[in-house]
Amino acid sequence: MNNLAQESIFFGMAISLLGYEIGLIIKRKFKMAIFNPLLIAVVIVILFLAVFHVDYETYNSSAKYLSYLLTPSTVCLAVPLYQQLHLLRKNAKAVILGITSGVIISLTSVLLLSKLFGLNHQQYVTMLPKSITTAIGMGVSEEMGGIVTITVASIIITGILGNMMAELICKIFRITEPVAKGIAIGTSAHAVGTAKAIEMGEIEGAMSGLAIAVAGLLTVIMASFYANLM
Amino acid sequence: MKYLRQFFIIMLISLLGEALKWLIPLPIPASIYGLVLMLLALCTGVITVDKVEEASTFLIEIMPVMFIPASVGLLDSWGALKDIILPIGAIIVITTIVVMGLTGKITQGIIRMEKRKKNE
């Protein structure tokens, strides 16, 4: 199986899309947040690779074409944002203050919890950019001397968790304004969370996309200050 | 040909984003520069929405599957992760809930305050 997978340039993408299709079917049947199509797809692919002894590198050599589309897709997030620009103008103050306080809460909570759990400096700076989009987070972690692979892992787990829990958290905290939902999801769970925000509605999706960019940039600015605190 | 041209515009802006990343030495990815460029192009009317709408709707819709390869990559970082999985797991769960909840609450609070101000 590994040989076939190595030869094939479609294996990785096909198995990923198959996993996602199965995820969609299971989600439609059970309608529970835990049955998240992305999570199911990841689990199915990991199981498949383990059972048929295909290593990650082999899988990724053909699955990487999916990741390749991430940059143009992020660029496209500007389109719904543009279409909701009137909402952004109307709520500019709430949006800017909301994202800024979200970034401060994120960095501060990582600081406090790192102290509580007795992490060392390197582990602490590794976790600092966990809420922002992978590409920026990797750069921030590297700059501060963090362990980049763990940063990437934390960012992705954060995203999947945010994607799964977004609806529940909005319900518990009684967040009903679509603009506030989008800002909350994008600030805390970057692009993976935004995928859920887009499902929730056009306004949620557009605001979440905006929050990815703004939260990412603010984290770049504030992280070096926070890095000196522990 | 419509879709091809739409895809071309999106790729061109992605390329310009890469060029900016190459020129500016900050840890900001090409995609964020591209997002800002696309927004500027739409706001200034250089590009109208109908020139990119269908292709961008399609790309945004299929975005979740683009995270599958990187997520499966968690498999490879398991070795580095397993010794500190408990504190890191706790940090991830707690901060994600707290940040999402509070950010939403604060944003919603300000929106409602502004609305009330306007109504007075």
Side-chain angles (χ1 to χ4, degrees):
Chain A
M1 196 67 193
N2 204 15
N3 286 343
L4 170 65
Q6 248 159 10
E7 295 283 324
S8 168
I9 55 167
F10 300 112
F11 166 76
M13 193 182 292
I15 189 73
S16 305
L17 294 181
L18 175 72
Y20 196 75
E21 281 299 327
I22 297 174
L24 286 176
I25 293 169
I26 296 179
K27 163 116 196 272
R28 219 170 295 143
K29 271 218 153 126
F30 296 98
K31 293 194 170 73
M32 282 165 72
I34 184 83
F35 296 115
N36 179 283
L38 175 60
L39 183 68
I40 294 170
V42 172
V43 172
I44 287 176
V45 174
I46 288 180
L47 286 178
F48 188 94
L49 297 186
V51 170
F52 291 100
H53 303 289
V54 180
D55 49 45
Y56 176 68
E57 228 166 279
T58 306
Y59 158 78
N60 197 39
S61 67
S62 58
K64 66 179 181 212
Y65 300 105
L66 282 174
S67 326
Y68 165 86
L69 287 171
L70 262 178
T71 297
S73 308
T74 308
V75 171
C76 290
L77 288 174
V79 177
L81 181 58
Y82 173 74
Q83 288 167 324
Q84 307 294 342
L85 214 57
H86 60 284
L87 267 177
L88 179 61
R89 284 211 191 92
K90 209 175 103 195
N91 300 299
K93 197 170 152 196
V95 167
I96 302 288
L97 287 177
I99 301 174
T100 309
S101 36
V103 170
I104 294 172
I105 292 165
S106 172
L107 295 171
T108 309
S109 58
V110 172
L111 171 70
L112 295 178
L113 289 167
S114 297
K115 282 200 192 242
L116 180 70
F117 293 126
L119 297 191
N120 61 35
H121 175 76
Q122 191 186 30
Q123 291 163 338
Y124 162 61
V125 293
T126 296
M127 296 304 290
L128 266 183
K130 63 160 276 292
S131 282
I132 61 173
T133 192
T134 320
I136 306 185
M138 281 170 72
V140 170
S141 172
E142 206 174 352
E143 198 104 332
M144 298 185 304
I147 311 158
V148 177
T149 51
I150 297 186
T151 303
V152 172
S154 320
I155 290 174
I156 290 171
I157 300 172
T158 298
I160 295 181
L161 195 71
N163 183 307
M164 284 169 57
M165 297 183 61
E167 277 157 333
L168 181 70
I169 293 175
C170 287
K171 208 183 265 172
I172 292 175
F173 283 83
R174 279 189 236 117
I175 304 162
T176 49
E177 294 275 349
V179 173
K181 281 185 186 172
I183 295 299
I185 296 170
T187 306
S188 59
H190 54 90
V192 186
T194 299
K196 172 58 91 187
I198 291 165
E199 270 176 46
M200 292 162 82
E202 267 174 35
I203 300 172
E204 287 91 332
M207 292 301 141
S208 190
L210 170 76
I212 300 175
V214 179
L217 297 179
L218 285 176
T219 303
V220 171
I221 298 166
M222 291 189 221
S224 52
F225 167 73
Y226 270 86
N228 292 323
L229 296 182
M230 182 177 147
Chain B
M1 292 308 279
K2 185 170 88 177
Y3 296 103
L4 193 62
R5 188 166 301 153
Q6 294 197 352
F7 205 68
F8 164 64
I9 293 173
I10 292 163
M11 280 297 163
L12 190 66
I13 294 182
S14 305
L15 174 66
L16 290 174
E18 275 184 325
L20 281 182
K21 180 191 160 60
W22 183 70
L23 285 169
I24 307 169
L26 284 174
I28 295 169
S31 57
I32 300 293
Y33 286 123
L35 194 159
V36 175
L37 285 176
M38 177 70 99
L39 191 62
L40 285 176
L42 289 167
C43 287
T44 53
V46 176
I47 298 171
T48 48
V49 171
D50 61 300
K51 294 279 189 308
V52 288
E53 197 169 13
E54 285 89 355
S56 61
T57 306
F58 171 70
L59 281 175
I60 291 172
E61 252 175 38
I62 64 166
M63 224 170 156
V65 302
M66 299 172 199
F67 298 108
I68 297 174
S71 309
V72 173
L74 290 178
L75 208 59
D76 264 11
S77 40
W78 179 243
L81 210 55
K82 66 169 187 255
D83 292 330
I84 38 173
I85 190 71
L86 276 179
I88 284 186
I91 291 177
I92 291 174
V93 174
I94 296 170
T95 56
T96 305
I97 296 172
V98 169
V99 174
M100 194 182 286
L102 292 185
T103 306
K105 261 305 196 218
I106 292 170
T107 311
Q108 181 165 282
I110 300 172
I111 292 174
R112 293 195 172 153
M113 229 162 61
E114 300 270 294
K115 263 188 198 158
R116 240 175 285 145
K117 236 189 256 167
K118 243 171 238 162
N119 290 338
E120 270 165 20

